[in-house]
């Protein structure tokens, strides 16, 4: 068992039964990670659509009031799920940072092509 | 509609139909976020169990070989799901950082109580 490539460096340190238990836990973590990656892909597809809508109507990429609501809601959900609410907030900020980067890219691409419409504010 | 609290600051800038479209997209994003939070909670429950096992058998909190495998796998999955593989890597590192923080806390708690067993390396 100590040559199982899934074992990583743990294989050097422990008995086969412990290693077996560790591998079983890791396989659950790998399944959860696959689900997370697919959900994140779907989330970015949705925010991509939001980005296109925002660029078309010249809305600012960031929306602090919306973000405040999202953070408060996710912290409540995290508490119910026994996830550290501070981590949930850090996680959402991490995602939003990436989304804003995407929206800025969309907005720059939009402003490079075609004539500019006046700001609608 | 412009007073809808879900609208955030967007309400000031756009016509009702565009706002309606934006709110519909945001409600999908909120559903995805709730799923992400619950999956993350489950993931930390799994890594918590790994942490306890590691502390019990005095395994190091980090496992670079395992992490390398995880990153390579998630990047492949991300590509299939049309998620930026670089983002998938950043995401996993963000999660692993938090997990190692948890494992160190478990390990410190374990070493505070009870007599120390010799290192099993």
């Amino acid at each position: 068992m100590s040559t199982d490539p899934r074992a990583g460096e743990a294989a050097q340190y422990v008995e086969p039964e412990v290693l077996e238990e560790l591998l079983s836990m890791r396989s659950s973590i790998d399944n959860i990670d696959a689900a997370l990656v697919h959900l994140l892909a779907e989330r970015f597809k949705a925010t991509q659509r939001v980005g296109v809508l925002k660029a078309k109507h010249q809305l600012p990429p960031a929306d602090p009031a919306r973000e405040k609501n999202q953070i408060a809601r996710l912290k409540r959900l995290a508490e119910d799920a026994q996830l550290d609410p501070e981590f949930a907030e850090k996680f959402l900020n991490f995602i939003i940072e990436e989304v804003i980067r995407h929206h800025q890219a969309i907005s720059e691409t939009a402003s490079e092509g075609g004539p500019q419409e006046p700001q609608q504010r």
Side-chain angles (χ1 to χ4, degrees), chain A residues 22-79:
Chain A
L22 184 64
L23 290 183
S24 161
M25 290 171 179
R26 284 181 170 175
S27 119
S28 293
I29 292 169
D30 287 344
N31 285 342
I32 293 171
D33 281 348
L36 283 169
V37 159
H38 286 88
L39 269 176
L40 283 170
E42 204 50 38
R43 195 192 194 280
F44 283 114
K45 277 171 70 178
T47 51
Q48 190 81 2
R49 283 193 288 270
V50 169
V52 169
L53 191 79
K54 282 185 169 179
K56 195 174 152 198
H57 297 278
Q58 296 173 322
L59 288 161
D63 188 333
R66 153 83 173 155
E67 284 158 33
K68 211 179 138 202
N69 285 343
Q70 280 178 293
I71 287 170
R73 175 176 172 268
L74 275 202
K75 285 175 97 167
R76 280 195 307 275
L77 286 175
E79 258 175 82

Side-chain angles (χ1 to χ4, degrees), chain A residues 43-44 47 61-62 67 70-71 89-105:
Chain A
R43 195 192 194 280
F44 283 114
T47 51
E67 284 158 33
Q70 280 178 293
I71 287 170
E89 177 169 0
K90 246 168 66 183
F91 171 72
L92 189 67
N93 284 329
F94 174 79
I95 302 287
I96 288 175
E97 226 171 81
E98 183 75 8
V99 169
I100 291 174
R101 222 172 52 74
H102 290 188
H103 285 188
Q104 280 163 343

Side-chain angles (χ1 to χ4, degrees), chain A residues 100-112:
Chain A
I100 291 174
R101 222 172 52 74
H102 290 188
H103 285 188
Q104 280 163 343
I106 293 169
S107 171
E108 278 158 27
T109 310
S111 66
E112 278 161 15

